[in-house]
Amino acid sequence: MADPEEHPTDLPECPSAQDDGLLPKELRAWMVLLAAMGAVEQELRSVVKDRLDVSHDEFLILCLLAEQPDGLRMTRVAELLGRPKTRLTYQIACLQHAGLVTRKSVCGDRRGIEVALTEKARRLLEEASGSLATTVTGALSRVMGPDQHAAMCGLLPELAEEPEAP
């Protein structure tokens, strides 16, 4: 996390510390999370394109599959990412064409399709992980003040750890 002195002075205080205002603290916290997500997505787009040569939405699919060594059903991927199945089918086809995912029929379910990462995708994600982590940390530090960062680290303790150098 960057030095608190480097933060712009217009960053809002941690929502949980504020008890006044029109919105309840839960909505204020949600707005901070939305701002953080937007900042991370915006900065990750170019890094993902440069390092992995995939779109941001395709990157989200790769990240989801990276946590599932045996793969996932396409319906579950669509559910978890909140994507229409038709859009997901196109994105999976692009990833398959790039050699980053495999598709196979689910045994006993003729309509079920399971997708999984290839070794090529795993290698690319591993090689890019340092710069991706640095990008996320930097984006969060520009949007969140020290109190907000501490609150997020309470929810996600792994954010408190320093990222490895790329």
Side-chain angles (χ1 to χ4, degrees), residues 72-110:
L72 282 173
R73 291 178 85 128
M74 291 224 353
T75 53
R76 185 65 177 145
V77 174
E79 235 174 56
L80 291 170
L81 294 177
R83 303 280 190 266
K85 291 177 194 170
T86 53
R87 183 173 169 199
L88 180 65
T89 300
Y90 172 76
Q91 291 169 331
I92 294 291
C94 291
L95 290 169
Q96 185 178 21
H97 180 72
L100 300 174
V101 300
T102 59
R103 282 196 285 198
K104 67 178 182 177
S105 296
V106 175
C107 186
D109 182 356
R110 67 181 182 91

Side-chain angles (χ1 to χ4, degrees), residues 4 6-7 21-22 29 44 52 55 62 74 78 88 100 105-106 110 121 139-140 145 147 152 159 163:
E6 296 175 12
H7 288 283
L22 180 62
L44 268 181
L52 303 172
S55 72
L62 294 176
M74 291 224 353
L88 180 65
L100 300 174
S105 296
V106 175
R110 67 181 182 91
L140 290 176
D147 292 342
M152 180 157 299
L159 284 180

Side-chain angles (χ1 to χ4, degrees), residues 33 45 54 71 85 101 108 126 132 151 154:
L33 288 174
R45 285 182 195 280
V54 297
K85 291 177 194 170
V101 300
E126 188 175 328
L132 295 169

Side-chain angles (χ1 to χ4, degrees), residues 16-155:
S16 60
Q18 298 173 349
D19 288 330
D20 55 346
L22 180 62
L23 297 176
K25 66 181 177 182
E26 293 83 0
L27 285 179
R28 289 193 309 269
W30 177 62
M31 294 303 295
V32 170
L33 288 174
L34 285 177
M37 285 175 40
V40 169
E41 283 187 17
Q42 184 176 13
E43 291 194 28
L44 268 181
R45 285 182 195 280
S46 63
V47 175
V48 164
K49 190 65 177 166
D50 289 344
R51 296 297 308 263
L52 303 172
D53 197 27
V54 297
S55 72
H56 181 73
D57 286 344
E58 292 165 349
F59 172 66
L60 295 178
I61 294 167
L62 294 176
C63 287
L64 184 60
L65 293 175
E67 299 298 314
Q68 305 294 326
D70 298 329
L72 282 173
R73 291 178 85 128
M74 291 224 353
T75 53
R76 185 65 177 145
V77 174
E79 235 174 56
L80 291 170
L81 294 177
R83 303 280 190 266
K85 291 177 194 170
T86 53
R87 183 173 169 199
L88 180 65
T89 300
Y90 172 76
Q91 291 169 331
I92 294 291
C94 291
L95 290 169
Q96 185 178 21
H97 180 72
L100 300 174
V101 300
T102 59
R103 282 196 285 198
K104 67 178 182 177
S105 296
V106 175
C107 186
D109 182 356
R110 67 181 182 91
R111 293 184 350 161
I113 303 291
E114 190 172 86
V115 292
L117 289 184
T118 63
E119 284 307 311
K120 175 183 176 181
R122 290 186 185 286
R123 188 177 64 256
L124 284 172
L125 284 171
E126 188 175 328
E127 290 169 0
S129 66
S131 61
L132 295 169
T134 300
T135 301
V136 170
T137 302
L140 290 176
S141 71
R142 285 184 280 288
V143 175
M144 299 179 139
D147 292 342
Q148 294 162 329
H149 185 264
M152 180 157 299
C153 287
L155 295 172

